[in-house]
């Protein structure tokens, strides 16, 4: 430090904890400058909050059969004629509250989305690190498998894996394996992006001096990849994970809508839309419109966060 005693004292008196570094970072400054990003973050937070605390804030429990009355079925929203204040957004054909269904459905959709992205990132990062660091035959095989998978749309990969798993385990009911199969299907359809990105970054990092120095002092390759290479390739991975979360939610909703995702007894946003589309042209529009609007809003908010994060982590755009 080159300042006088007063300047040094002021510097030393300032807090330099993690929170302070975050608030003073370029990324947080970029976040504050974008009103649209702040709105997207607020919407995403509200969805996550509502999903996590759905059992406590939902007006009704759509899983409690004792509280469901068929006499309350197909009620319009509360502000419509014949609406009931107990059901703000109306009810479905079984008398379940739409608002409560959206909260619980978002819970299922977000759970599958986060878990599948975590699974895909873990698998893709691991294979990408190994392929980039060791190279050779292993790296070539991993990349050729990735190239082959890229020729197929993600939805077809997910449908194929779903069909194979349920074909192999016919004795197990779909309700018992629905979450696991969805996470496996979506995760295996996404790992390629992480593997290719991490491998490309690892090929650059492995020849740098800090990696060479770690090799010279005898650090095992696994620890070099984990402690030294991985932190320096996480920037693009975070961007991919954020964008993939929105895609995973859409993919889960698509699979559930097609009848190969979560069953009606475990409603997600896709399942609610599937249930409501049978009544869309008979006048009960609220059964599918409100869950569809919730899904579109959530995906749009997460996508906007992903776009902002991509720009914020790109040094060329700072």
């Amino acid at each position: 430090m080159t300042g006088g005693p007063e300047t040094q004292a002021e510097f030393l008196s300032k807090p330099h904890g993690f929170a302070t570094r975050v608030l003073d970072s370029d990324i947080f400054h970029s976040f504050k400058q974008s009103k649209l990003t702040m709105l997207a973050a607020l919407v995403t937070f509200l969805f996550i909050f509502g999903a996590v605390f759905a059992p406590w804030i939902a007006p009704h429990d759509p899983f409690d059969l004792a509280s469901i009355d068929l006499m309350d079925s197909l009620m319009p929203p509360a502000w419509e004629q014949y609406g009931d204040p107990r059901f703000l957004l109306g009810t479905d054909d079984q008398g379940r509250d739409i608002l409560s269904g959206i909260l619980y459905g978002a819970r299922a959709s977000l759970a599958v989305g986060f878990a599948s992205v975590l699974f895909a990132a873990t698998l893709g990062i691991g294979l990408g690190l190994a392929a980039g660091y060791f190279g050779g035959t292993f790296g070539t095989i991993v990349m050729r498998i990735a190239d082959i998978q890229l020729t197929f749309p993600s939805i077809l990969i997910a449908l194929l894996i779903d069909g194979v798993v349920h074909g192999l385990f016919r004795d197990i009911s779909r309700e018992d394996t629905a979450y696991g199969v969805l996470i496996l299907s979506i995760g295996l359809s996404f790992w390629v992006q992480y593997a290719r990105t991490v491998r490309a970054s690892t090929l650059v990092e492995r020849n740098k001096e800090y990696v060479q120095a770690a090799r010279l002092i005898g650090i095992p390759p696994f620890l070099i990849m984990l402690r030294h290479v991985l932190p320096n390739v996480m920037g693009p991975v975070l961007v991919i994970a954020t964008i993939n979360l929105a895609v995973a939610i859409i993919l889960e909703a698509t699979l559930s809508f097609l009848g190969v995702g979560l069953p009606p007894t475990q409603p997600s946003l896709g399942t609610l839309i599937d249930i409501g589309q049978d009544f869309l042209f008979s006048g009960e529009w609220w059964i599918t419109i409100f869950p569809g609007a919730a899904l579109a809003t959530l995906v749009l908010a997460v996508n906007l966060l992903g776009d902002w994060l991509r720009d914020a982590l790109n040094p060329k755009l700072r």
Side-chain angles (χ1 to χ4, degrees), residues 186-268:
I186 298 174
L188 288 178
S189 65
F190 283 165
W191 71 271
V192 173
Q193 303 174 53
Y194 300 94
R196 289 171 63 89
T197 302
V198 171
R199 175 182 175 271
S201 300
T202 303
L203 287 174
V204 176
E205 297 295 327
R206 72 176 184 178
N207 295 320
K208 292 189 175 179
E209 293 181 355
Y210 72 93
V211 175
Q212 300 293 338
R215 289 175 179 169
L216 288 175
I217 61 177
I219 297 179
F222 176 76
L223 292 180
I224 293 176
M225 289 188 291
L226 187 64
R227 294 180 180 177
H228 301 284
V229 179
L230 180 59
N232 292 300
V233 302
M234 285 302 293
V237 169
L238 292 176
V239 176
I240 295 174
T242 305
I243 295 176
N244 271 357
L245 176 60
V247 180
I249 294 172
I250 284 288
L251 192 53
E252 181 279 323
T254 303
L255 293 173
S256 297
F257 181 82
L258 294 174
V260 297
L262 295 178
T265 55
Q266 300 174 4
S268 69

Side-chain angles (χ1 to χ4, degrees), residues 2 7 114 163 206 262 287 290:
T2 59
T7 304
F114 276 113
R206 72 176 184 178
L262 295 178
I287 302 178
F290 289 130

Side-chain angles (χ1 to χ4, degrees), residues 170-182:
R170 295 180 180 178
D171 297 335
I172 304 176
S173 67
R174 180 176 289 271
E175 293 185 6
D176 296 334
T177 60
Y179 275 98
V181 172
L182 267 179

